[in-house]
Amino acid sequence: MASSPSPSSPSLNSGSVLQFDRFQSLVDVGFWHRLSSLKLDTLGIDQSPITLVGFFAPHSRAQVSNHLTLLSESLPTAPIDHASSIETNLGNRNRCPVPGILYNTNTLEEFKELDRDNLLQIEANKILEDIRLGKVEEDSTLLLRFLVISYADLKTWSFRYLFAFPALVIDPPATLMSLQPATQMLTAEEAESLSAACNEWRSSSLTAGIPFFIVSINSDSQATLRPLKDWESCQGDQNKLLFGFYDPCHLKTNPGWPLRNFLTFICLRWKLQKVRFFCYRERLGLANLDVSLIGDALISIPTDFTEPQYIPKVVGWERIGNRLALRCISLAESMDPQRLAASAADLNLKLMTWRAVPSLNIDVLQTAKCLLLGVGTLGCQVARTLLGWGVRKLTLVDSGRVSMSNPVRQSLYTFDDCLNGGRLKAEAAARNLKAIFPAMETEGIVMAIPMPGHPIPAQETASVLEDCKHLQALIASHDVVFLLTDTRESRWLPTLFCSHENKILINAALGFDSYLVMRHGAGPNVSTPDNNLECRDDGTAAVLMNELSLKDVGAKRRLGCYFCSDVVAPIDSTSNRTLDQQCTVTRPGLAPIAASLAVELMANILNHPDRIYAPGEIASSITGNSAQPLGLMPHQIRGTISLFSQMTLLGYSSSSCTACSETVLSEFRNRGMDFVLQAINHPTYLEDLTGLTELKQAAGSFELDWDDETDDDAEIQ
Amino acid sequence: MSNLEVWDGTISQKDFYVAARTLVERWKQVNPSLPQWTWIPSKSTLMGSSCKEEGYLSLENMFHIDRNEECLIVDSFSEREETDDVATLVHSTSNETHIYDFHIVYSFSYKVPVLYFHGYQSDGQPLSMDEIENDLPPSSSKILRESKWTYMTLGEHPYVRRPWYTLHPCATSDWMKLLLGGTSMKDLDISSYLLSWLSVVGQAIGLRIPLELQQRSVKHPSASCFIINN
């Protein structure tokens, strides 16, 4: 057989069992992307096995073995199997293609129930048959067939998988007689010639993808590489023969896995029992014979292997230590479109912090739970703008249905929403918001806000009471409330509750061509025995209020609410209005302007260290830039389109206010919903309570003109 | 282009290609034993440009070997004891290797190069942002965290079409201007743009860039003293 001078190093006296270093897998993320597309677009629930092409290369990087790699190109481009397209891939010499098969199941149960042993056996049988029928000489990569079982969960974008590299088991196992670096088994001339021949083999596109070959070294020390099918013609001459293969393994002491089936093949087909093999390895992309190994093995194969019906024993599941290398990989972050949309939106916001306003607190905006009372022109536009700030939790309250005139002005509704009587606004808006940005949490609540001056028929008292409680609970469980309804009186109860719960409330109201956007001040610090015991969703509000009452002396004046500058209580303003007043006709540009201001006002509040307690500021050309990252902290903004002008105003709370004064709040805290019902059913009750009635009577005796709306408490600059 | 114009820190796509070639050659001279940068031409042109030299630079298979980490493995498949046969070599737990790929892509909107990179375990599982930060030398994590010039984020790789980590390019022209600054247009050696750029970016992501990469190519000696500050 093959014999050569061994210039140095002793061989082992008696052979030890030849142990092969296992193959390891590497699956590029692109493979999973491609498999997902394939399943979603083409295969559907079809579970038939999928042909794969794996790639490997000889060892090249110190200390690291090369892996069998799966890339997106490993999967067929449906429906034709483009095995030939591999040649067009870059770095062909770095990727020797080998055939494989994938069994992918649709459910986890089916994955666990796969008959693994059987599947592995099938592949082993194929290998043995390819050897027997002479196919390996034509295509040697058939010796490296591999198997993958997987379960792709396309809802959670996670993948479980296990590889197998089937190897036929020979009993008794092959023995290793010697294993040396190649340079120690060859003369210098032979080594040089072999290097050159290998480099040529590796550079030619015809041979680079052929991982098994015969090395023939003639008496002039010239080495040539021959394909396996040239075996017959190699027999004649007296050349030294080595059996070479691409070895992915980096160990000095063991050859890699591809040698296993190669030895079995050599013994079965060519009846050799003593084999000198060449583990071809590289450095920096070129043949390196110090790192490459040459070894001698003894192998004997029992005769029944050659019988046609023989079922060979097989090993090859990928393992780490002794445990199966069953892997689970989650790619939700890079594959789930919803998460990708969310992270792209986040990036946008981060850019603001990085480039424009480094002290901006985006997080406080993204985590703010917002309650929108009213989902009309204002409500839709506020919701849309809040999305831009990254708000993820929105609750929308409206009792109405989408009417035919709505979609053109109310930006969350489409034509479909107004058909067949019209969908419920709160629900339609919640759904359409999720269609824009799936990662957000929306809830639509169909509810009418109870209003003073609209007395309740007796049989409805119970349900109105429910609504009141529901509204209070909603306010308590959110961080910011937007008051975007279309009547004055519907703003009363939310104002009361927000004062009581000390929640940030932003109010927007529209005239025909004018608007008001304002934030309500903090609630009055009326302490009740129950304050400390009340169980709140937002515990901080209660604490702050207690602290404030301790520092009462010299405390800042509370900013006013929508009703503070009124001298009439909210009454029924809707009856006896003409049609256009009832529909609150406004210039179309107005609602978006007011809504945008409302949202930006919220952004400023949440970025202010004092939040709801932030003092009101007025824009002035003298004061210049505000100390806060987002600028001025106004109390009220009033504007009019007819002049294209806008101004900021400041108003403090009135002790006669029917919604937020201490009188009203303490009455509410003492009597709860009874007080509310009384206010709703008796229009003058609030005025009596706050002393407005008296005030009016006293004023009436002075014959002042109550149409003049200037108020002592308001300061305008 | 008047000689009095002050350079704005950006680079054209054609010059990017020239600078890329310079980087490839210089890297080969200085780091022959490391993986090499290769130019990957794009198959279809973005932006409808007819430039033949459109593509990106790729440096793949940079290894980071973590001696402490053990290979993790999922739940076992079955209760029964299985082992391979005697002819299989059984390893004790080996070191976990992290593999990184770096791409330098030209951004048409910012007119500067952008670094895209990702890391993965030896079995292909991608590394999270935290795991990547763990691999970084402490000086790099400091830069990433504190500097106002470097923002690491996930972005869609324009050629590979999947999310890769990237250093956002919005500040690049600013600091490139500082780095090679004071140069009038006629003195600017645009072919060394990427060498200078990489010397800065490399610090942020832990790519050790030897000083020789820059020497003899940058005309202003102050460039090699550039330190990223807050």
Side-chain angles (χ1 to χ4, degrees):
Chain A
M1 264 322 93
S3 65
S4 78
S6 300
S8 59
S9 61
S11 308
L12 300 165
N13 287 328
S14 60
S16 50
V17 171
L18 173 51
Q19 290 198 314
F20 304 89
D21 186 38
R22 287 188 189 119
F23 237 144
Q24 286 173 281
S25 65
L26 192 166
V27 182
D28 183 75
V29 165
F31 175 80
W32 300 118
H33 281 249
R34 176 101 189 85
L35 178 64
S36 305
S37 313
L38 212 56
K39 286 289 289 176
L40 289 171
D41 302 337
T42 316
L43 296 175
I45 55 170
D46 182 8
Q47 285 188 141
S48 26
I50 303 170
T51 314
L52 290 182
V53 180
F55 302 97
F56 86 109
H59 160 76
S60 185
R61 297 289 300 277
Q63 296 181 52
V64 180
S65 291
N66 217 302
H67 289 54
L68 185 88
T69 308
L70 289 185
L71 312 164
S72 61
E73 297 97 314
S74 298
L75 285 161
T77 50
I80 311 155
D81 186 358
H82 275 272
S84 58
S85 69
I86 295 151
E87 264 69 66
T88 61
N89 286 337
L90 288 152
N92 185 31
R93 62 187 310 269
N94 292 326
R95 302 178 184 174
C96 175
V98 296
I101 194 161
L102 169 68
Y103 290 89
N104 182 66
T105 60
N106 290 332
T107 65
L108 188 57
E109 291 68 40
E110 287 168 302
F111 180 65
K112 291 189 176 149
E113 282 161 21
L114 280 174
D115 187 350
R116 284 192 292 124
D117 296 334
N118 186 40
L119 295 179
L120 186 60
Q121 189 68 59
I122 291 174
E123 297 309 304
N125 294 347
K126 285 185 196 167
I127 295 177
L128 186 54
E129 181 159 326
D130 288 339
I131 294 177
R132 263 208 300 265
L133 297 180
K135 290 190 183 163
V136 171
E137 284 92 326
E138 291 303 315
D139 179 8
S140 57
T141 63
L142 292 173
L143 289 172
L144 296 176
R145 273 185 197 284
F146 64 96
L147 162 69
V148 185
I149 56 174
S150 71
Y151 161 54
D153 181 347
L154 297 183
K155 290 198 176 57
T156 60
W157 308 98
S158 63
F159 306 88
R160 257 177 234 257
Y161 64 100
L162 176 63
F163 269 73
F165 307 101
L168 306 173
V169 174
I170 300 174
D171 195 9
T175 39
L176 181 66
M177 302 305 292
S178 76
L179 191 63
Q180 306 287 333
T183 40
Q184 295 190 7
M185 300 285 278
L186 302 167
T187 67
E189 266 185 315
E190 289 170 336
E192 199 184 311
S193 175
L194 179 55
S195 275
C198 288
N199 285 332
E200 207 186 302
W201 181 269
R202 295 278 293 144
S203 326
S204 158
S205 57
L206 293 171
T207 49
I210 303 178
F212 298 99
F213 45 88
I214 304 170
V215 177
S216 171
I217 307 182
N218 66 15
S219 44
D220 289 331
S221 301
Q222 294 309 302
T224 41
L225 266 51
R226 315 280 295 272
L228 299 183
K229 59 181 186 266
D230 282 1
W231 171 249
E232 297 298 320
S233 45
C234 286
Q235 292 299 293
D237 43 33
Q238 295 305 306
N239 293 351
K240 288 187 278 201
L241 295 176
L242 295 171
F243 297 92
F245 71 100
Y246 293 172
D247 187 2
C249 173
H250 72 280
L251 298 171
K252 294 193 182 99
T253 49
N254 299 79
W257 199 252
L259 183 59
R260 276 198 84 140
N261 289 342
F262 193 31
L263 281 181
T264 309
F265 160 79
I266 293 170
C267 184
L268 270 179
R269 287 294 282 176
W270 300 331
K271 314 278 189 275
L272 299 178
Q273 299 202 319
K274 197 163 164 233
V275 177
R276 176 157 284 186
F277 58 86
F278 170 49
C279 304
Y280 172 72
R281 299 168 180 185
E282 294 178 335
R283 271 284 183 280
L284 300 179
L286 292 173
N288 184 312
L289 295 186
D290 289 308
V291 171
S292 300
L293 305 173
I294 291 180
D296 289 310
L298 287 179
I299 175 170
S300 73
I301 302 209
T303 43
D304 44 7
F305 243 84
T306 49
E307 276 150 43
Q309 300 311 316
Y310 181 71
I311 309 284
K313 276 187 63 187
V314 55
V315 293
W317 291 108
E318 187 179 2
R319 291 175 196 275
I320 298 180
N322 271 325
R323 302 180 60 196
L324 285 176
L326 173 62
R327 292 185 167 95
C328 186
I329 171 177
S330 166
L331 292 178
E333 197 183 81
S334 65
M335 288 181 75
D336 183 353
Q338 287 194 17
R339 284 176 69 157
L340 292 174
S343 64
D346 282 350
L347 176 61
N348 237 338
L349 290 171
K350 280 196 195 120
L351 279 172
M352 272 201 287
T353 358
W354 293 336
R355 298 300 284 156
V357 193
S359 50
L360 181 60
N361 186 345
I362 300 275
D363 208 54
V364 74
L365 291 157
Q366 285 191 309
T367 52
K369 292 178 279 200
C370 295
L371 176 66
L372 272 59
L373 301 175
V375 198
T377 47
L378 283 169
C380 288
Q381 213 53 40
V382 164
R384 280 281 201 165
T385 316
L386 284 173
L387 276 189
W389 271 112
V391 170
R392 297 284 167 93
K393 168 104 179 81
L394 278 184
T395 309
L396 307 138
V397 175
D398 198 298
S399 60
R401 287 184 181 275
V402 184
S403 74
M404 292 273 182
S405 65
N406 289 159
V408 294
R409 290 200 177 213
Q410 303 185 7
S411 56
L412 285 181
Y413 306 125
T414 62
F415 178 67
D416 279 344
D417 292 325
C418 59
L419 299 176
N420 299 321
R423 293 205 176 100
L424 290 163
K425 279 188 169 185
E427 292 173 357
R431 191 182 330 112
N432 291 342
L433 275 171
K434 279 195 85 95
I436 296 168
F437 189 60
M440 72 181 307
E441 261 183 81
T442 57
E443 197 190 345
I445 299 191
V446 182
M447 185 174 78
I449 298 178
M451 302 186 272
H454 294 240
I456 313 159
Q459 67 269 24
E460 290 175 28
T461 304
S463 81
V464 168
L465 203 56
E466 270 314 301
D467 287 346
C468 290
K469 289 185 185 159
H470 193 184
L471 180 61
Q472 184 179 10
L474 281 171
I475 288 174
S477 62
H478 286 73
D479 300 314
V480 180
V481 179
F482 285 88
L483 201 35
L484 310 166
T485 56
D486 59 358
T487 61
R488 263 187 80 237
E489 54 269 29
S490 60
R491 302 175 194 260
W492 178 78
L493 191 55
T495 303
L496 175 75
F497 286 151
C498 282
S499 288
H500 173 66
E501 304 281 350
N502 209 33
K503 294 285 178 171
I504 297 170
L505 185 150
I506 302 192
N507 206 344
L510 303 177
F512 166 66
D513 62 0
S514 64
Y515 57 86
L516 161 68
V517 175
M518 66 181 293
R519 59 182 170 108
H520 287 189
N525 50 354
V526 178
S527 60
T528 71
D530 293 328
N531 246 0
N532 298 328
L533 303 174
E534 241 173 347
C535 188
R536 292 168 187 270
D537 285 350
D538 177 15
T540 56
V543 171
L544 275 172
M545 282 189 62
N546 286 336
E547 281 177 11
L548 203 58
S549 58
L550 290 174
K551 301 184 266 185
D552 204 0
V553 181
K556 306 169 199 161
R557 291 179 70 184
R558 288 171 43 226
L559 293 173
C561 77
Y562 185 65
F563 296 96
C564 279
S565 45
D566 286 349
V567 289
V568 274
I571 54 160
D572 185 345
S573 65
T574 57
S575 319
N576 301 323
R577 280 200 315 203
T578 60
L579 182 65
D580 57 353
Q581 280 180 311
Q582 277 190 344
C583 296
T584 11
V585 170
T586 69
R587 286 180 69 159
L590 212 58
I593 294 174
S596 308
L597 287 172
V599 172
E600 295 303 326
L601 187 57
M602 175 195 92
N604 281 37
I605 296 174
L606 291 181
N607 263 272
H608 195 287
D610 299 333
R611 291 176 53 132
I612 196 175
Y613 298 100
E617 295 171 340
I618 302 173
S620 146
S621 51
I622 304 169
T623 48
N625 286 337
S626 165
Q628 299 307 323
L630 287 179
L632 200 71
M633 192 65 262
H635 173 228
Q636 301 181 30
I637 309 165
R638 289 183 190 252
T640 168
I641 294 290
S642 56
L643 298 174
F644 291 94
S645 77
Q646 177 179 298
M647 56 185 171
T648 50
L649 306 169
L650 185 54
Y652 292 106
S653 60
S654 158
S655 52
S656 319
C657 179
T658 50
C660 76
S661 61
E662 286 189 21
T663 318
V664 166
L665 261 298
S666 67
E667 198 64 25
F668 169 63
R669 282 166 181 155
N670 286 334
R671 295 175 43 219
M673 291 305 176
D674 286 342
F675 162 73
V676 171
L677 287 177
Q678 190 171 5
I680 290 174
N681 285 322
H682 301 275
T684 58
Y685 169 60
L686 287 171
E687 286 183 352
D688 296 341
L689 176 66
T690 58
L692 275 178
T693 316
E694 279 180 43
L695 202 62
K696 274 204 292 192
Q697 285 167 352
S701 64
F702 289 113
E703 294 170 358
L704 280 176
D705 183 7
W706 284 107
D707 287 337
D708 181 356
E709 287 197 326
T710 52
D711 191 30
D712 289 344
D713 286 345
E715 295 164 24
I716 303 177
Q717 284 182 5
Chain B
M1 213 188 309
S2 116
N3 289 340
L4 299 174
E5 257 177 59
V6 174
W7 181 53
D8 64 355
T10 62
I11 185 175
S12 72
Q13 211 278 313
K14 284 191 167 58
D15 285 337
F16 173 75
Y17 176 68
V18 170
R21 294 223 318 256
T22 312
L23 173 60
V24 169
E25 281 154 23
R26 183 59 57 85
W27 183 275
K28 204 179 199 169
Q29 285 171 17
V30 175
N31 290 323
S33 57
L34 286 183
Q36 296 297 305
W37 289 97
T38 13
W39 178 259
I40 315 281
S42 72
K43 300 183 188 69
S44 62
T45 55
L46 300 174
M47 307 294 281
S49 81
S50 57
C51 180
K52 269 181 280 137
E53 298 117 347
E54 193 177 313
Y56 59 97
L57 274 174
S58 160
L59 176 70
E60 298 195 348
N61 295 323
M62 289 292 273
F63 282 12
H64 176 95
I65 299 182
D66 188 336
R67 307 218 171 268
N68 298 324
E69 203 178 310
E70 273 196 14
C71 299
L72 294 174
I73 191 173
V74 196
D75 51 74
S76 62
F77 220 153
S78 62
E79 272 68 47
R80 68 171 198 255
E81 259 305 305
E82 301 174 7
T83 50
D84 285 328
D85 67 336
V86 292
T88 308
L89 180 68
V90 180
H91 281 282
S92 52
T93 51
S94 55
N95 298 321
E96 175 57 30
T97 307
H98 290 169
I99 307 168
Y100 286 89
D101 296 335
F102 300 95
H103 289 179
I104 305 180
V105 179
Y106 180 71
S107 160
F108 286 92
S109 38
Y110 289 96
K111 297 212 196 14
V112 293
V114 188
L115 181 76
Y116 286 88
F117 63 98
H118 73 161
Y120 47 100
Q121 294 175 30
S122 59
D123 65 355
Q125 292 214 25
L127 298 172
S128 68
M129 182 102 81
D130 291 331
E131 289 167 313
I132 293 181
E133 279 193 44
N134 273 344
D135 281 350
L136 292 177
S139 52
S140 294
S141 345
K142 193 170 191 300
I143 290 173
L144 277 178
R145 253 182 296 118
E146 296 174 10
S147 158
K148 65 170 180 158
W149 302 108
T150 50
Y151 320 117
M152 185 158 102
T153 159
L154 263 184
E156 173 162 310
H157 189 306
Y159 293 93
V160 172
R161 297 232 154 266
R162 275 197 300 279
W164 278 37
Y165 290 104
T166 176
L167 292 184
H168 201 276
C170 53
T172 302
S173 61
D174 292 337
W175 53 257
M176 280 305 291
K177 203 169 151 183
L178 277 184
L179 183 60
L180 301 180
T183 330
S184 67
M185 300 293 284
K186 73 168 161 61
D187 287 335
L188 190 64
D189 176 17
I190 204 73
S191 67
S192 66
Y193 186 103
L194 274 179
L195 296 170
S196 311
W197 177 86
L198 193 57
S199 71
V200 171
V201 161
Q203 284 181 51
I205 44 134
L207 257 190
R208 273 184 286 273
I209 314 287
L211 209 52
E212 300 85 59
L213 202 65
Q214 276 206 97
Q215 278 169 6
R216 290 173 280 125
S217 63
V218 179
K219 294 184 181 178
H220 289 258
S222 60
S224 54
C225 309
F226 182 83
I227 298 171
I228 305 176
N229 278 325
N230 281 358

